[in-house]
Amino acid sequence: MVSDKSQYRGYEIRLRQEWSNWCANVFPVRDDVPIFALSPLWTLSSSRAEALAAAKRQIDDNLGTEPERHVA
């Protein structure tokens, strides 16, 4: 099992590979953000990038915010 971590808007996104799919769990890392009850199967994806993007969309949807935009 391969795993990976990423941070986004006060949350840690833990990605793990199970068989040929990627799953994501979301955990708060700051006291000022709400706890989400998200099933990792909501972010079941065929690629790591898709699972990470799905988890970020879920965070944005739950916070009621627009996605972060990065300027190069």
Side-chain angles (χ1 to χ4, degrees):
M1 176 170 62
V2 176
S3 64
D4 194 4
K5 294 180 185 178
S6 181
Q7 296 229 347
Y8 183 73
R9 294 188 176 220
Y11 294 89
E12 180 178 271
I13 302 170
R14 295 182 193 164
L15 300 171
R16 70 179 189 279
Q17 190 173 21
E18 294 193 12
W19 300 95
S20 62
N21 293 306
W22 284 87
C23 301
N25 286 333
V26 176
F27 301 95
V29 294
R30 296 191 332 228
D31 292 335
D32 63 336
V33 296
I35 297 172
F36 302 139
L38 297 177
S39 166
L41 296 180
W42 283 34
T43 56
L44 188 64
S45 302
S46 60
S47 76
R48 178 197 172 283
E50 288 174 8
L52 181 60
K56 288 180 177 182
R57 280 192 304 274
Q58 287 179 354
I59 291 170
D60 290 335
D61 289 347
N62 283 303
L63 293 176
T65 58
E66 292 292 319
E68 284 186 359
R69 303 210 188 281
H70 297 282
V71 178

